Amino acid sequence: MADVTTENLDCDRLLATVSDERAGAVVTFAGVVRNHDHGVAVTGIEYVGHPSAAQVMQEVVAGFADREGLHAIAAQHRVGMLGIGGVALYVAVAASHRGQAFGCASDLVDKIKESLPIWKKQFLADGTHEWSQCP
């Protein structure tokens, strides 16, 4: 499971997709919109994705499929407007052992943030906005 969507992320459903009886560890990560960034109040974020974003997400996740001990992986990124507390990125990894699951989840989140053509427009409490994660 690897996707980019305009819908709110269903974290319970994504977690269920990695259920595997061989797994001794399931690690999840939720990237949540916070109310501040570098000392400035944030009121919301708009994520804007390139049309290739879903394909890139699938390629990134596929690149982790052969990791030792990995049994299942799910990753989804939300685009569009999100308020404070909204989940922008959710990753779930099931592996034989906790070290494998934690390592894969951490590396996957880093690779997604590095590779995915999605840009973040932060709306600030003073009425202005700023772009971040732009090439």
Side-chain angles (χ1 to χ4, degrees), residues 18 25-29 60-75 91-112:
V18 302
V26 175
V27 170
T28 64
F29 168 82
V60 167
V61 169
F64 284 79
D66 292 336
R67 283 250 180 143
E68 182 179 345
L70 182 68
H71 300 297
I73 189 168
V91 167
V93 173
S96 292
H97 302 285
R98 72 178 179 273
Q100 295 164 328
F102 275 112
C104 182
S106 179
D107 293 347
L108 178 59
V109 169
D110 288 345
K111 186 67 174 176
I112 289 169

Side-chain angles (χ1 to χ4, degrees), residues 18-57:
V18 302
S19 178
D20 191 301
E21 292 182 354
R22 300 170 294 167
V26 175
V27 170
T28 64
F29 168 82
V32 179
V33 177
R34 62 183 178 268
N35 69 356
H36 68 280
D37 191 25
H38 60 270
V40 178
V42 173
T43 60
I45 293 179
E46 179 181 11
Y47 288 94
V48 179
H50 186 273
S52 67
Q55 179 64 37
V56 172
M57 176 69 94

